[in-house]
Amino acid sequence: MEAVRDDFNGDGYPDLVVSAPGGTVSAQKGAGYVAVLYGGGSGLSGSRRATFSLSTPGIPGVVQAGDGFGQVTASGDLDGDGFADLVVGMPGRDVGDMGDAGAAVVLWGSAGGLRADGALWLQDDVPAARGRFGMGLATGRFKGDGIEVALLSANRLSTYVFAGAVGGGRTSEAVPVDWKWREEFTPTGLTSGDYNNSGSDDLVLLGTVTSYEGIHPVYTVGGASYLPGGRDGLTYGRGLFGGPVGASGDINNDGYADLVFGSPADSDDLNEWLLDGGTVDVFLGGPSGPDTREDVSQHWNQTTVGASGDDANGDRFGGAVTVGDVNGDGYADAAISAPANDINSLTDPGTVWVMRGTANGLTPRGLASFSQSTPSVPGDNEDSDRFGGALRLIDANRDGKAELVASAPGEDTGDGAAWVFPGTVNGPVGSGSWSFNGATLSAPVPDARFGETLAP
């Protein structure tokens, strides 16, 4: 049976990766680390865990301040051994005298979970200052067979194919991919899925597009490239206007992956208005990939979904999105955050909403909201917590109802924390929710920004 995309120990239960890229490791501030919580019949547990950083024996590289180990992560069974593997990006890594050239590490899965021995170091063949190698990661069967890694740098997109090597090591081969956008495009990340149901996974390059009047920016909006997969790998399909944040899943249960864009801060200075309340777009998959026609696609903001708050006050609605089936009905649902949502007199404590999937896409009916003021949820709302800074819907106990994991990387002035909301037939609930942070896992705490990333 094919390995679960994020099942690192092969027990059939998905595992959770939480990044703390600001963590101090070996006295180096901002070196960063990742924590893995293993799933099981009773769900996630802080006691079944492991942590990794560049100070972990077996992982190559010397710890440096500002590496940001784990700022970006992606998982999949890269070597076909039945265990998912983890790719950890360090876009802030200096290589030689090249500041922020970036690098990545591959940790291999095994029956005992992720292991450090044999970890593989990746970096650009010709490192460049501010190249930010590893700033975006995604995995998929882009040729329809073995799982590959798509790796994004500031000015380059490549796919990596891994193969066995003498002595049990692994080698990699990088293949460049043209994304078509040029100077006006700023890449931000990647998401993948089989949007045209071809049997090969496709890739969406996320980013923003800025228009200039002379040297002055006129507007900045979300933009993306749709890159369908096939026998020859990824090829350029077409440009999309969406958002710099994205997630994928089959919302309408028709066999095609659907695309959810988050645009937390589009701006239009030419018309003297600011769209910084944030929006979310849904493009349903089909034979030609994501369908952007107005009568098929969906466009949401806090007002149209019936969420609390003003949709034009900097709440950053769509700051994080994740897709998964929360109630076991076969339709993927979406969790959407506004990490800068104000609550009462507090500034930026943050809020998360869950929208249900239907045959017609997402619906605001039955909208559920979560924050630290939700009954039974541990903790209290505070200024700048940024609850919902990262989100993950994960069915860690394989009962068909995904749990919601939401982080607040600004909790306790930047230490960070994460919360787990149990899944039920009615979706995630506050009752029985629990929180954890670096201290829970015996990992570095101060300014760690624990939970800045929750692996997709």
PDB file of all heavy atoms in Angstrom, residues 5 15 23 27 55 138 152 177-178 190 195 238 284 292 298 329 341 416 428:
ATOM      1  N   ARG A   5       1.297  10.397   2.696  1.00  0.00           N
ATOM      2  CA  ARG A   5       2.240  11.446   2.306  1.00  0.00           C
ATOM      3  C   ARG A   5       3.050  11.961   3.481  1.00  0.00           C
ATOM      4  O   ARG A   5       4.187  12.414   3.317  1.00  0.00           O
ATOM      5  CB  ARG A   5       1.450  12.590   1.677  1.00  0.00           C
ATOM      6  CG  ARG A   5       2.298  13.654   1.031  1.00  0.00           C
ATOM      7  CD  ARG A   5       1.415  14.640   0.282  1.00  0.00           C
ATOM      8  NE  ARG A   5       2.181  15.497  -0.591  1.00  0.00           N
ATOM      9  CZ  ARG A   5       1.639  16.282  -1.508  1.00  0.00           C
ATOM     10  NH1 ARG A   5       0.332  16.296  -1.658  1.00  0.00           N
ATOM     11  NH2 ARG A   5       2.390  17.045  -2.262  1.00  0.00           N
ATOM     12  N   ASP A  15       1.445  12.107  10.424  1.00  0.00           N
ATOM     13  CA  ASP A  15       2.216  12.750  11.481  1.00  0.00           C
ATOM     14  C   ASP A  15       2.243  14.267  11.232  1.00  0.00           C
ATOM     15  O   ASP A  15       2.039  14.736  10.119  1.00  0.00           O
ATOM     16  CB  ASP A  15       3.641  12.192  11.505  1.00  0.00           C
ATOM     17  CG  ASP A  15       3.653  10.665  11.600  1.00  0.00           C
ATOM     18  OD1 ASP A  15       2.890  10.123  12.414  1.00  0.00           O
ATOM     19  OD2 ASP A  15       4.398  10.024  10.823  1.00  0.00           O
ATOM     20  N   GLY A  23      14.003  29.562  16.667  1.00  0.00           N
ATOM     21  CA  GLY A  23      14.581  28.947  17.847  1.00  0.00           C
ATOM     22  C   GLY A  23      16.090  29.123  17.944  1.00  0.00           C
ATOM     23  O   GLY A  23      16.804  29.077  16.940  1.00  0.00           O
ATOM     24  N   ALA A  27      23.315  28.053  20.916  1.00  0.00           N
ATOM     25  CA  ALA A  27      23.589  29.465  21.203  1.00  0.00           C
ATOM     26  C   ALA A  27      23.483  30.357  19.969  1.00  0.00           C
ATOM     27  O   ALA A  27      23.844  31.535  20.043  1.00  0.00           O
ATOM     28  CB  ALA A  27      24.967  29.629  21.852  1.00  0.00           C
ATOM     29  N   SER A  55      22.016  20.940  14.769  1.00  0.00           N
ATOM     30  CA  SER A  55      22.877  20.420  15.837  1.00  0.00           C
ATOM     31  C   SER A  55      22.606  18.947  16.116  1.00  0.00           C
ATOM     32  O   SER A  55      23.306  18.333  16.925  1.00  0.00           O
ATOM     33  CB  SER A  55      22.682  21.231  17.124  1.00  0.00           C
ATOM     34  OG  SER A  55      21.416  20.988  17.686  1.00  0.00           O
ATOM     35  N   ALA A 138       7.289  21.670  -2.359  1.00  0.00           N
ATOM     36  CA  ALA A 138       6.086  20.868  -2.540  1.00  0.00           C
ATOM     37  C   ALA A 138       6.512  19.524  -3.109  1.00  0.00           C
ATOM     38  O   ALA A 138       7.556  19.410  -3.759  1.00  0.00           O
ATOM     39  CB  ALA A 138       5.084  21.545  -3.476  1.00  0.00           C
ATOM     40  N   LEU A 152      11.700  25.852  -4.700  1.00  0.00           N
ATOM     41  CA  LEU A 152      11.658  27.224  -5.193  1.00  0.00           C
ATOM     42  C   LEU A 152      12.762  28.061  -4.561  1.00  0.00           C
ATOM     43  O   LEU A 152      12.999  27.990  -3.355  1.00  0.00           O
ATOM     44  CB  LEU A 152      10.293  27.837  -4.869  1.00  0.00           C
ATOM     45  CG  LEU A 152      10.068  29.308  -5.211  1.00  0.00           C
ATOM     46  CD1 LEU A 152      10.100  29.522  -6.719  1.00  0.00           C
ATOM     47  CD2 LEU A 152       8.728  29.772  -4.631  1.00  0.00           C
ATOM     48  N   VAL A 177      12.448  24.426 -14.177  1.00  0.00           N
ATOM     49  CA  VAL A 177      11.099  24.585 -14.714  1.00  0.00           C
ATOM     50  C   VAL A 177      10.850  26.066 -14.956  1.00  0.00           C
ATOM     51  O   VAL A 177      11.079  26.891 -14.068  1.00  0.00           O
ATOM     52  CB  VAL A 177      10.039  24.021 -13.737  1.00  0.00           C
ATOM     53  CG1 VAL A 177       8.635  24.202 -14.311  1.00  0.00           C
ATOM     54  CG2 VAL A 177      10.312  22.551 -13.429  1.00  0.00           C
ATOM     55  N   ASP A 178      10.359  26.414 -16.155  1.00  0.00           N
ATOM     56  CA  ASP A 178      10.090  27.817 -16.478  1.00  0.00           C
ATOM     57  C   ASP A 178       8.743  28.223 -15.908  1.00  0.00           C
ATOM     58  O   ASP A 178       7.735  27.571 -16.156  1.00  0.00           O
ATOM     59  CB  ASP A 178      10.089  28.009 -17.993  1.00  0.00           C
ATOM     60  CG  ASP A 178      10.024  29.477 -18.400  1.00  0.00           C
ATOM     61  OD1 ASP A 178       9.999  30.344 -17.499  1.00  0.00           O
ATOM     62  OD2 ASP A 178       9.994  29.751 -19.613  1.00  0.00           O
ATOM     63  N   LEU A 190       4.642  27.295  -2.916  1.00  0.00           N
ATOM     64  CA  LEU A 190       4.152  26.281  -3.842  1.00  0.00           C
ATOM     65  C   LEU A 190       3.024  25.485  -3.208  1.00  0.00           C
ATOM     66  O   LEU A 190       2.972  25.325  -1.992  1.00  0.00           O
ATOM     67  CB  LEU A 190       5.280  25.299  -4.214  1.00  0.00           C
ATOM     68  CG  LEU A 190       6.562  25.867  -4.821  1.00  0.00           C
ATOM     69  CD1 LEU A 190       7.649  24.787  -4.847  1.00  0.00           C
ATOM     70  CD2 LEU A 190       6.299  26.380  -6.238  1.00  0.00           C
ATOM     71  N   TYR A 195      -5.081  18.665 -10.387  1.00  0.00           N
ATOM     72  CA  TYR A 195      -6.236  19.523 -10.660  1.00  0.00           C
ATOM     73  C   TYR A 195      -6.988  19.118 -11.921  1.00  0.00           C
ATOM     74  O   TYR A 195      -8.159  19.457 -12.078  1.00  0.00           O
ATOM     75  CB  TYR A 195      -5.786  20.989 -10.787  1.00  0.00           C
ATOM     76  CG  TYR A 195      -4.952  21.459  -9.623  1.00  0.00           C
ATOM     77  CD1 TYR A 195      -3.574  21.621  -9.747  1.00  0.00           C
ATOM     78  CD2 TYR A 195      -5.529  21.727  -8.391  1.00  0.00           C
ATOM     79  CE1 TYR A 195      -2.801  22.047  -8.688  1.00  0.00           C
ATOM     80  CE2 TYR A 195      -4.758  22.150  -7.313  1.00  0.00           C
ATOM     81  CZ  TYR A 195      -3.394  22.303  -7.473  1.00  0.00           C
ATOM     82  OH  TYR A 195      -2.629  22.714  -6.409  1.00  0.00           O
ATOM     83  N   ARG A 238      -0.593  28.114 -17.628  1.00  0.00           N
ATOM     84  CA  ARG A 238      -1.134  29.465 -17.761  1.00  0.00           C
ATOM     85  C   ARG A 238      -0.979  30.205 -16.442  1.00  0.00           C
ATOM     86  O   ARG A 238      -0.729  29.604 -15.403  1.00  0.00           O
ATOM     87  CB  ARG A 238      -2.609  29.430 -18.158  1.00  0.00           C
ATOM     88  CG  ARG A 238      -3.479  28.559 -17.267  1.00  0.00           C
ATOM     89  CD  ARG A 238      -4.846  28.329 -17.901  1.00  0.00           C
ATOM     90  NE  ARG A 238      -5.532  27.193 -17.313  1.00  0.00           N
ATOM     91  CZ  ARG A 238      -6.363  27.261 -16.288  1.00  0.00           C
ATOM     92  NH1 ARG A 238      -6.606  28.448 -15.740  1.00  0.00           N
ATOM     93  NH2 ARG A 238      -6.947  26.192 -15.813  1.00  0.00           N
ATOM     94  N   LEU A 284     -12.240  25.552  -8.688  1.00  0.00           N
ATOM     95  CA  LEU A 284     -12.499  24.116  -8.730  1.00  0.00           C
ATOM     96  C   LEU A 284     -11.725  23.476  -9.873  1.00  0.00           C
ATOM     97  O   LEU A 284     -11.614  24.038 -10.965  1.00  0.00           O
ATOM     98  CB  LEU A 284     -13.993  23.854  -8.888  1.00  0.00           C
ATOM     99  CG  LEU A 284     -14.887  24.408  -7.768  1.00  0.00           C
ATOM    100  CD1 LEU A 284     -16.355  24.165  -8.093  1.00  0.00           C
ATOM    101  CD2 LEU A 284     -14.520  23.784  -6.429  1.00  0.00           C
ATOM    102  N   THR A 292     -11.206  29.128 -13.585  1.00  0.00           N
ATOM    103  CA  THR A 292     -11.245  30.500 -13.082  1.00  0.00           C
ATOM    104  C   THR A 292     -12.462  31.287 -13.582  1.00  0.00           C
ATOM    105  O   THR A 292     -12.572  32.487 -13.307  1.00  0.00           O
ATOM    106  CB  THR A 292      -9.972  31.257 -13.495  1.00  0.00           C
ATOM    107  OG1 THR A 292      -9.869  31.270 -14.929  1.00  0.00           O
ATOM    108  CG2 THR A 292      -8.741  30.592 -12.915  1.00  0.00           C
ATOM    109  N   GLN A 298     -15.179  30.912  -6.745  1.00  0.00           N
ATOM    110  CA  GLN A 298     -15.762  31.564  -5.580  1.00  0.00           C
ATOM    111  C   GLN A 298     -14.806  32.612  -5.032  1.00  0.00           C
ATOM    112  O   GLN A 298     -13.580  32.441  -5.093  1.00  0.00           O
ATOM    113  CB  GLN A 298     -16.065  30.529  -4.488  1.00  0.00           C
ATOM    114  CG  GLN A 298     -17.083  29.485  -4.876  1.00  0.00           C
ATOM    115  CD  GLN A 298     -17.334  28.494  -3.744  1.00  0.00           C
ATOM    116  OE1 GLN A 298     -16.403  27.898  -3.207  1.00  0.00           O
ATOM    117  NE2 GLN A 298     -18.588  28.327  -3.376  1.00  0.00           N
ATOM    118  N   ASP A 329     -17.650  13.380   5.480  1.00  0.00           N
ATOM    119  CA  ASP A 329     -18.725  13.284   4.485  1.00  0.00           C
ATOM    120  C   ASP A 329     -18.205  13.143   3.063  1.00  0.00           C
ATOM    121  O   ASP A 329     -18.983  13.113   2.104  1.00  0.00           O
ATOM    122  CB  ASP A 329     -19.663  14.483   4.584  1.00  0.00           C
ATOM    123  CG  ASP A 329     -18.983  15.809   4.253  1.00  0.00           C
ATOM    124  OD1 ASP A 329     -17.760  15.808   4.015  1.00  0.00           O
ATOM    125  OD2 ASP A 329     -19.689  16.841   4.230  1.00  0.00           O
ATOM    126  N   ASN A 341      -6.803  39.487  13.033  1.00  0.00           N
ATOM    127  CA  ASN A 341      -8.155  39.866  13.429  1.00  0.00           C
ATOM    128  C   ASN A 341      -8.150  40.411  14.861  1.00  0.00           C
ATOM    129  O   ASN A 341      -7.585  39.810  15.776  1.00  0.00           O
ATOM    130  CB  ASN A 341      -9.077  38.648  13.349  1.00  0.00           C
ATOM    131  CG  ASN A 341     -10.534  39.005  13.560  1.00  0.00           C
ATOM    132  OD1 ASN A 341     -11.047  39.914  12.928  1.00  0.00           O
ATOM    133  ND2 ASN A 341     -11.204  38.292  14.448  1.00  0.00           N
ATOM    134  N   GLY A 416       5.699  31.498  20.647  1.00  0.00           N
ATOM    135  CA  GLY A 416       4.853  30.667  19.803  1.00  0.00           C
ATOM    136  C   GLY A 416       4.265  29.461  20.499  1.00  0.00           C
ATOM    137  O   GLY A 416       4.800  28.965  21.503  1.00  0.00           O
ATOM    138  N   PRO A 428     -14.372  20.164  13.847  1.00  0.00           N
ATOM    139  CA  PRO A 428     -13.530  20.429  15.022  1.00  0.00           C
ATOM    140  C   PRO A 428     -14.306  21.147  16.115  1.00  0.00           C
ATOM    141  O   PRO A 428     -15.205  21.941  15.839  1.00  0.00           O
ATOM    142  CB  PRO A 428     -12.415  21.322  14.459  1.00  0.00           C
ATOM    143  CG  PRO A 428     -12.427  21.089  12.989  1.00  0.00           C
ATOM    144  CD  PRO A 428     -13.851  20.811  12.631  1.00  0.00           C
TER     145      PRO A 428
END
